[in-house]
Amino acid sequence: MASPTATAMVAEANGQVGFKEGPNNNTKFGAWYGLNYEPWCAMYLSWCAHQIGADDVVGKFAYCPSWVNWFKARGQWHGPNEAVRPGDIVFFTWDGGPVADHVGIAREYAAAGESIPTTEGNTSSGASGSQGNGDGVYQRVRPRSVVLGFGRPAYTSAGTSTGSGGTKTTTPTKKYTPPAFPKGLAPNHAKPSARTLQKALKATDWLGENVELADNYGPQTQKAVAGFNAKHGLNDAGKSYDPAIGPKGWALLFTLAYG
């Protein structure tokens, strides 16, 4: 059986957003794991992995430090300020110490040092509640100052599109709607939406992680878009090199990256 995709893992985790625990940490995740009425951030993600058949890829843990050691032993551990991909398992330390206090999953690409969009269980919806023993599943954005590091499971490359390996496809497990195509996005123009485009290109491996995000739709972004367009038959008529992303390409790129 092929390894599950990062897209499927993120979709499963996002599908639990809005879940609320019962009294004394009573959750379906803890009951499934066999350790109910305990802090359940790790058990929630382990449950998500089990739903898509990824137990051996993502891991099955109730204790965050053990999970960290598992990723380290497999050579899949990354430092706190490295670029993060969707599906990475992100561990947090609230006091800056060496022990993981909490865990979540990255739901979007984040450049090196950039705050990480996550989905987390057993946390709170905002800063007013407990961050590591809250009441539900929420989407958060975490600064690097609280990140201990992250594990990158050996997902299959299916579900994404790469610059060298061709198109790789899966059927998304949940319906995804890409963001609206931004006005004024064009080669050699500076718009904040160029950064959004670059993040999606990085998430699909068309743009290298070492390329800095910028408002300028410059040569490296153009080259990445041209490769994506050519691979997917999106070039404008008569063009062999088309560095401009259009609405159709934008929708496809974001669906492959995040859908």
Side-chain angles (χ1 to χ4, degrees):
M1 178 179 177
S3 300
T5 67
T7 297
M9 183 63 185
V10 173
E12 189 64 49
N14 286 343
Q16 300 304 312
V17 172
F19 174 89
K20 294 290 188 70
E21 67 179 22
N24 301 315
N25 281 321
N26 180 19
T27 69
K28 62 183 179 182
F29 314 116
W32 163 81
Y33 194 93
L35 198 62
N36 206 5
Y37 306 105
E38 298 290 341
W40 48 277
C41 59
M43 292 187 283
Y44 149 67
L45 289 179
S46 297
W47 180 93
C48 291
H50 183 72
Q51 302 310 301
I52 64 168
D55 305 71
D56 58 337
V57 175
V58 177
K60 181 180 179 182
F61 290 89
Y63 185 53
C64 291
S66 296
W67 206 351
V68 168
N69 290 337
W70 185 79
F71 279 120
K72 288 181 176 179
R74 294 163 70 95
Q76 297 171 342
W77 181 252
H78 295 262
N81 290 308
E82 295 183 41
V84 172
R85 298 177 183 176
D88 286 349
I89 307 301
V90 185
F91 295 87
F92 303 98
T93 169
W94 306 129
D95 61 1
V99 178
D101 300 314
H102 181 64
V103 66
I105 186 170
R107 55 188 163 87
E108 295 179 15
Y109 177 86
E114 188 177 54
S115 295
I116 305 172
T118 61
T119 303
E120 303 168 24
N122 201 26
T123 191
S124 298
S125 59
S128 60
S130 173
Q131 302 305 295
N133 193 14
D135 66 348
V137 179
Y138 299 100
Q139 291 187 332
R140 304 298 304 271
V141 178
R142 298 294 191 183
R144 295 294 179 129
S145 59
V146 297
V147 175
L148 177 67
F150 59 93
R152 178 164 294 155
Y155 299 112
T156 181
S157 52
T160 65
S161 176
T162 68
S164 58
T167 306
K168 304 164 184 177
T169 59
T170 61
T171 301
T173 58
K174 297 184 184 296
K175 183 175 177 59
Y176 170 79
T177 301
F181 182 72
K183 295 181 179 179
L185 180 65
N188 299 316
H189 285 69
K191 292 280 185 179
S193 55
R195 290 176 177 262
T196 306
L197 171 62
Q198 291 156 10
K199 288 182 180 181
L201 290 168
K202 288 189 176 194
T204 51
D205 290 334
W206 282 97
L207 190 64
E209 290 184 354
N210 61 333
V211 178
E212 292 187 10
L213 298 176
D215 290 347
N216 185 42
Y217 193 143
Q220 291 176 301
T221 303
Q222 293 174 37
K223 182 179 179 181
V225 169
F228 178 81
N229 283 340
K231 178 60 68 175
H232 296 284
L234 296 169
N235 287 5
D236 281 349
K239 290 185 177 180
S240 59
Y241 182 85
D242 187 357
I245 193 80
K248 185 177 179 180
W250 174 274
L252 176 60
L253 175 64
F254 277 80
T255 298
L256 291 172
Y258 308 121

